[in-house]
Amino acid sequence: MSNPNISLIHQINPSFAQNAALAFAEANFLKEVITPVAYNPQAPVWQYLNLLPKQLRTFISNELSRRTWLSPHGVPIKTYPWQEIIRIFLLRTNLANSSFFKHIDLVAWVYVCLDNHVANHHLRGLDSVYTYEDLAATTFDKAKQQGILCLYDLPIPYYQMTGNIMRQEAELFPELAPVIQSIREPAWKIERKQREIELADHIFVASSITKKSLLEIGIQEEKITVIPYGAPVDYFHPQPKPDNCFRALFVGRVSPRKGAHYLLQAWQDLKLANAELVLVGQNLFPTGWLEQYENICRHVPSVPHFLLNQYYSSASVFVFPSLIEGFALVLLEAMACGIPIITTPNTAGPDIITDGVEGFIIPIRDVEALKDKLKWCYSHPQELAEMGRAARRKAEELNWGLYRQRLANKVQSLLSIHKTYE
C-alpha cells in the first residue's frame, strides 16, 4: 500500500502525541496534525507579540511556550485557537470562577469543538484518523460512514476502572472526596467515552494497566496494542548528587489519585535521620490539608520542566505510589537521570522495570510496603546506586525512536488489512 493518508488530532502537545505524529511523518503517511494551538516562536505571525506591553507579552509568551509544536518533517499543522484562547483568558483572569463556567467544563468545551471541526472539515481524502480520548466521538461517527479507519489512543485507563478505584478512595478518606474529580464525571461525557470505544477499529495504549481496564469491559484483546512511551534520554541526564542527604522525591500533581497521602504517612512513620522528602507539583488536596505535613516534607509547587533534571539528580530514590495512571512519564524522566524508582503496578511500572533491578513495585495503598522499601533504600546506598545505573540503561533501551518504530509498523499493518477488506 503506497502513501496512505493519516491525520492526527490532539488538544495540546504532549510528548507522546508529538512522537506519534513524527512516527507517521517518518513513515511518509501523515497528512496533517490538527490541534487548537501550535506555537512556533520563529513563525512571522508571533512576531507581533513584540508590539505588546512587556508584562502582557511575557504572560502570553509563557502560555504559548507550553504549546510549542513544530511541523514534523514539514507536514502541515492546522490550528483552531479561539476556543483555547477564550478558555485560557477566562481561567487566568478568574472570570471562570465568577461565572457559570467551571474549569473542567471549559476544557471539555475545547475538546468537543475540536472534534466537531475535524468531523466537518478534515476527513476528505483520508485513509485513517488517529485521535485521542474525548476528541473522537463525532469524528469517528462520520469517518465510519466514509470507510475511514478509526484509530484511537487511550493514554489513561478507561474511566470505569479509574472511577471504581477513586470511589473506594473517597470512602476510605471522606475528607478528600471533594477534590476527587473522576467520581463526578457528567453523564454526557461518559456517553462520549463509551461511543468512542465502540466506534474505534483499534485502540493503542501505553501500559498493561490501561489494557486491563479495556479487557474488563469486554474489549477483545486483538483490538488492543500496548506500546510503552519513550524515555527522554536526550533531555534528561545523570548528574552528580550535590550532597549526602538521603532524599526521596515525588514529582507530579500532589493529589489523592497519585497516592501522595500514603507516601506522607510512610515518611512520617519512618523518622529517618539526615533524610528529606521533597514533593514537586501542584497541591490538589483540600485547602489546608497538606499543611499538617509541612514539618516533615518540602513542597515545591511548580518547577519549569527544564529545571526538573536538577531535582531528579538531587534524589536518592524517586517515589510514585499512584493509585491509577495510564503511563507516568515522570518514571522514565527519573530513570533517564539515573534514579531508581518505587512505584505501583497501576502506573506502567511493570511495563518498564523489573522489580528489584531498576527499582521496586509495591501494591497501591500499602504504607507498610512503602516504609519497607524506603528503609531498604536508606540502608543500602551502594546497591541503590547500582539500581540507578540500571535504571539509566533501561531508559536508554526504552527510547522514543523505538516507540515511533513500533507505532508506525502497527499502523501500517492495520492500514494494509483495512485496505484488503474495503
Side-chain angles (χ1 to χ4, degrees):
M1 179 178 171
S2 61
N3 295 328
N5 280 324
I6 294 181
S7 288
L8 180 142
I9 303 94
H10 200 281
Q11 191 267 335
I12 48 175
N13 62 341
S15 54
F16 57 81
Q18 293 202 35
N19 274 279
L22 184 56
F24 302 151
E26 290 171 342
N28 200 32
F29 49 66
L30 181 64
K31 180 182 179 182
E32 63 182 350
V33 172
I34 306 162
T35 188
V37 177
Y39 177 54
N40 177 358
Q42 304 305 318
V45 65
W46 298 114
Q47 303 310 309
Y48 289 106
L49 289 176
N50 294 325
L51 301 176
L52 299 175
K54 182 178 179 181
Q55 186 174 3
L56 180 59
R57 181 173 71 244
T58 301
F59 168 75
I60 294 175
S61 296
N62 288 341
E63 286 293 331
L64 289 172
S65 66
R66 294 186 294 173
R67 293 162 174 81
T68 301
W69 198 336
L70 305 182
S71 174
H73 288 224
V75 173
I77 299 180
K78 175 62 179 178
T79 60
Y80 290 96
W82 291 112
Q83 286 86 7
E84 180 68 359
I85 290 171
I86 292 170
R87 182 191 74 82
I88 294 170
F89 175 77
L90 290 171
L91 183 65
R92 298 303 183 192
T93 58
N94 289 322
L95 288 175
N97 296 330
S98 61
S99 70
F100 61 89
F101 286 115
K102 299 293 183 184
H103 176 228
I104 193 66
D105 296 330
L106 290 172
V107 171
W109 174 59
V110 175
Y111 275 65
V112 171
C113 288
L114 186 61
D115 183 21
N116 289 334
H117 285 312
V118 174
N120 293 324
H121 304 291
H122 291 274
L123 296 181
R124 181 176 298 177
L126 285 184
D127 297 291
S128 175
V129 61
Y130 191 98
T131 188
Y132 293 78
E133 185 186 37
D134 295 330
L135 286 168
T138 306
T139 294
F140 280 177
D141 192 35
K142 292 197 174 183
K144 284 285 191 181
Q145 298 172 27
Q146 301 177 39
I148 297 170
L149 182 68
C150 295
L151 302 179
Y152 190 57
D153 194 309
L154 185 64
I156 60 177
Y158 193 57
Y159 80 93
Q160 286 189 3
M161 173 181 279
T162 301
N164 289 339
I165 289 174
M166 297 315 298
R167 275 189 289 273
Q168 294 169 7
E169 201 64 19
E171 292 175 1
L172 290 169
F173 297 92
E175 70 276 17
L176 303 182
V179 299
I180 301 178
Q181 181 61 41
S182 56
I183 64 176
R184 287 182 295 276
E185 291 276 29
W188 69 266
K189 195 173 182 181
I190 289 175
E191 290 171 5
R192 277 180 60 87
K193 294 177 187 292
Q194 294 171 342
R195 185 68 174 151
E196 289 173 346
I197 290 291
E198 292 168 2
L199 290 171
D201 292 308
H202 199 82
I203 305 170
F204 291 87
V205 301
S207 65
S208 53
I209 188 65
T210 304
K211 178 180 178 179
K212 181 181 178 182
S213 75
L214 293 171
L215 295 175
E216 287 181 354
I217 63 167
I219 302 298
Q220 295 179 343
E221 188 166 7
E222 57 268 25
K223 190 178 175 178
I224 309 167
T225 295
V226 180
I227 306 178
Y229 296 145
V233 292
D234 296 328
Y235 191 86
F236 288 96
H237 304 275
Q239 296 177 359
K241 192 172 183 296
D243 53 37
N244 63 358
C245 173
F246 176 80
R247 186 171 290 108
L249 175 69
F250 170 99
V251 175
R253 293 182 173 180
V254 184
S255 68
R257 184 170 69 84
K258 305 288 186 179
H261 47 313
Y262 293 102
L263 173 56
L264 287 162
Q265 183 60 60
W267 192 262
Q268 186 177 57
D269 291 349
L270 283 171
K271 297 180 174 61
L272 301 174
N274 190 30
E276 181 184 35
L277 172 63
V278 179
L279 309 178
V280 176
Q282 182 183 6
N283 174 20
L284 296 184
F285 280 98
T287 302
W289 187 91
L290 188 60
E291 281 69 16
Q292 66 184 301
Y293 295 102
E294 62 186 3
N295 293 328
I296 68 158
C297 74
R298 175 160 59 97
H299 176 225
V300 183
S302 179
V303 171
H305 199 248
F306 71 91
L307 292 179
L308 275 178
N309 203 137
Q310 67 187 51
Y311 279 88
Y312 288 123
S313 299
S314 72
S316 308
V317 63
F318 182 74
V319 191
F320 196 75
S322 184
L323 304 182
I324 187 70
E325 203 85 26
F327 194 106
L329 284 166
V330 290
L331 297 177
L332 287 176
E333 291 176 357
M335 291 169 64
C337 293
I339 306 303
I341 63 176
I342 300 173
T343 191
T344 72
N346 291 10
T347 64
D351 300 285
I352 59 176
I353 74 165
T354 300
D355 186 38
V357 178
E358 300 90 4
F360 298 106
I361 298 173
I362 61 170
I364 64 170
R365 301 189 176 108
D366 196 330
V367 172
E368 292 304 315
L370 262 174
K371 289 162 58 176
D372 180 63
K373 297 307 180 187
L374 283 167
K375 191 173 182 179
W376 185 94
C377 293
Y378 179 80
S379 305
H380 296 80
Q382 293 182 347
E383 293 92 334
L384 191 64
E386 176 51 40
M387 273 190 169
R389 290 187 285 270
R392 172 65 191 191
R393 292 193 295 268
K394 189 63 173 288
E396 290 173 349
E397 295 175 13
L398 294 170
N399 56 68
W400 279 116
L402 177 63
Y403 170 83
R404 294 196 299 270
Q405 181 182 25
R406 294 178 66 187
L407 178 62
N409 288 344
K410 181 61 180 181
V411 168
Q412 193 150 30
S413 173
L414 292 169
L415 283 164
S416 298
I417 295 170
H418 181 68
K419 191 69 173 178
T420 300
Y421 287 97
E422 275 189 343

